[in-house]
Amino acid sequence: MKKEIYRGWFWSLVLFLFAVGCASETAAPPSNFTAKMVTMGMEMPMAKMGTKSRIENPMMNGVVTITEAGSGKVIMMSNVNKTYFEQTKQEQALEMDDPGVKVEKTKTGSETLDGHPCVKYDIVMYKKDKPEEKYRGRIWEAEDLGGLAIRHEMDVPEGTPSGGTVVMELKDVKLGAATASMFEVPADYRKVESTMELMAGAGGYPGPEDIE
């Protein structure tokens, strides 16, 4: 059960990386903002600054996950234990900043979501060296938020707890609110060697290396 929960969480993260970097038709979307990411019945505070992203998962007590597009690395911090763990992603999400990724967007209409006028697009993403492995989805870009995609739907492989589609929305978006310190490990945090050690005493679920 815990592994299924984590897989669902992982695909939510995949979707997040898939969507927030998608450029609008006229310009790149805002690269500095904070918001609440709503997916799978959970509401998660998140922030983005440049290529770095930060997400707090309420299912992991006091744990913050920080990623940087193109690096392939993930930092998990426990604000309860004041520890952190660095790891390489076991499953690679397609990242918009990767020059080896191709993105195709098709405008399909316009809608208003949460009071934001949006342009809706169908999205197809794939690695240039693996064009047969395509990821498909839909995004809604808010015109009054500089083209930021505030709703994302991604079709994921069969067998995931999401039933084949993950839906994620951004709420309470605040442009320009992210700060550099949000993506840094505090100096007094101790580095540990596993997610199990990170979670000790804090509660939570396994990391990617714990999934069979």
Side-chain angles (χ1 to χ4, degrees):
M1 181 62 181
K2 289 183 178 180
K3 291 180 179 180
E4 289 183 353
I5 291 173
Y6 186 86
R7 288 194 181 103
W9 159 241
F10 172 79
W11 281 110
S12 295
L13 180 58
V14 168
L15 178 59
F16 172 74
L17 293 171
F18 167 87
V20 298
C22 290
S24 67
E25 290 294 296
T26 57
S31 61
N32 182 310
F33 64 90
T34 62
K36 293 179 181 177
M37 188 175 89
V38 181
T39 185
M40 298 178 63
M42 295 184 293
E43 187 175 279
M44 294 167 276
M46 56 78 54
K48 181 175 173 62
M49 188 174 190
T51 59
K52 296 181 179 180
S53 301
R54 167 193 173 108
I55 302 177
E56 300 176 40
N57 187 344
M59 295 177 65
M60 297 178 172
N61 182 31
V63 173
V64 175
T65 300
I66 297 174
T67 62
E68 183 169 10
S71 70
K73 294 183 179 180
V74 175
I75 295 177
M76 297 179 71
M77 298 189 304
S78 170
N79 294 327
V80 174
N81 295 333
K82 290 190 174 183
T83 56
Y84 72 98
F85 173 57
E86 297 180 359
Q87 62 184 339
T88 300
K89 281 179 281 189
Q90 302 298 303
E91 298 182 62
Q92 291 295 315
L94 297 186
E95 296 176 342
M96 296 298 302
D97 293 335
D98 186 344
V101 172
K102 175 70 174 178
V103 182
E104 299 173 356
K105 295 176 62 176
T106 303
K107 182 177 178 179
T108 59
S110 299
E111 296 180 21
T112 298
L113 297 178
D114 290 336
H116 300 287
C118 298
V119 180
K120 182 181 178 182
Y121 296 92
D122 282 347
I123 294 287
V124 178
M125 290 179 63
Y126 54 89
K127 292 184 178 180
K128 293 178 181 178
D129 60 351
K130 294 183 179 180
E132 71 282 358
E133 296 181 8
K134 291 182 169 60
Y135 290 79
R136 303 178 186 276
R138 294 150 295 282
I139 63 172
W140 285 255
E141 294 181 352
E143 297 180 279
D144 60 339
L145 293 175
L148 179 68
I150 61 171
R151 179 180 171 90
H152 324 85
E153 296 178 358
M154 186 176 181
D155 303 327
V156 297
E158 294 182 1
T160 64
S162 61
T165 300
V166 173
V167 178
M168 186 270 280
E169 295 181 310
L170 297 182
K171 307 282 189 179
D172 300 331
V173 177
K174 294 181 175 60
L175 299 181
T179 61
S181 62
M182 292 179 175
F183 309 92
E184 298 172 352
V185 178
D188 60 342
Y189 278 39
R190 176 175 57 89
K191 186 175 182 180
V192 297
E193 300 303 320
S194 70
T195 53
M196 297 301 291
E197 189 176 357
L198 180 85
M199 299 297 185
Y205 295 98
E209 78 280 3
D210 299 307
I211 300 176
E212 295 177 354

